[in-house]
Amino acid sequence: QVQLVESGGGLVQAGGSLKLSCKASYRPYSSDVMGWFRQAPGKEREFVAAIRWGRGSTYYANSVKDRFTISKVSADWTVTLEMNSLNYEDTAVYYCNVGTSPGTPGRYWGQGIQVTVSS
């Protein structure tokens, strides 16, 4: 059973920064794409960022490009998402996910973690 455990998140003022982490319970395959999706109240879940485990290729939604950075810690089976210049529209529950195609969610999800940006 694949488990994804998220940490980080919380409350931050607009313009601030937060870092999310997601640790997998298995050693990701080189073809795996680990990433983040988010869901704001009343909205559909949307893609945020992803990284292909083997090559380290990164992918971002236009709304977070140049503000968020996704990276991996290979030895720890962990993906991190550094979020800078946060604004109110970034408020959402963030979910870690592992799949095979950037932007398309795979079957395994983390439990979700709240990020709240105060204006």
Side-chain angles (χ1 to χ4, degrees), residues 55-69:
R55 300 184 66 177
S57 305
T58 57
Y59 310 86
Y60 297 94
N62 287 335
S63 59
V64 306
K65 199 173 295 184
D66 299 327
R67 299 189 298 123
F68 290 10
T69 302

Side-chain angles (χ1 to χ4, degrees), residues 17-20 36 60 67-71 80-84:
S17 300
L18 280 176
K19 182 178 178 180
L20 305 181
W36 295 89
Y60 297 94
R67 299 189 298 123
F68 290 10
T69 302
I70 190 169
S71 59
T80 64
L81 183 68
E82 294 194 39
M83 306 183 291
N84 299 312

